[in-house]
């Protein structure tokens, strides 16, 4: 039952991100919903897409999106990818 709500929430957040691609809070919500669904790598991919396609972002918003991605990689124990990003 709650899985249906999670799927609906993710679909709604993705639709909102498509409609408002300049809103950092919307991208953060999409990523958090993906993390909650235990799909951290998809969360990182969404954030990478937002950073690449919907900028330029003010420095504080870029830092927020990057931080969420790094936390998702840490939570997924993808230390190889985390280290690669930290070395950029």
């Amino acid at each position: 039952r709650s899985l249906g709500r999670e799927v609906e929430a993710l679909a709604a957040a993705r639709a909102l991100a498509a409609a408002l691609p300049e809103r950092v809070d919307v991208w953060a919500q999409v990523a958090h919903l993906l993390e909650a669904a235990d799909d951290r790598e998809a969360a990182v991919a969404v954030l990478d897409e937002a950073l690449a396609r919907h900028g330029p972002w003010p420095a504080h918003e870029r830092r927020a999106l990057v931080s969420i991605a790094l936390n998702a990689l840490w939570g997924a124990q993808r230390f190889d990818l985390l280290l690669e990003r930290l070395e950029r």
Side-chain angles (χ1 to χ4, degrees):
R1 198 163 65 197
S2 71
L3 178 60
R5 287 189 212 140
E6 291 170 1
V7 170
E8 288 175 10
L10 180 56
R14 285 183 184 271
L16 195 55
L20 301 169
E22 73 283 357
R23 295 284 306 266
V24 69
D25 58 324
V26 175
W27 289 108
Q29 183 64 27
V30 172
H32 288 307
L33 289 167
L34 286 165
E35 283 187 85
D38 204 28
D39 198 350
R40 290 180 176 92
E41 290 186 25
V44 172
V46 161
L47 295 168
D48 285 346
E49 176 188 349
L51 287 164
R53 293 184 60 209
H54 302 294
W57 296 94
H60 68 283
E61 290 181 347
R62 176 175 262 299
R63 279 191 303 272
L65 294 173
V66 168
S67 177
I68 294 166
L70 293 175
N71 286 333
L73 290 172
W74 180 268
Q77 297 185 1
R78 292 300 312 265
F79 304 122
D80 55 331
L81 297 176
L82 180 63
L83 184 58
E84 178 183 308
R85 283 172 184 260
L86 291 173
E87 290 176 341
R88 286 187 199 169

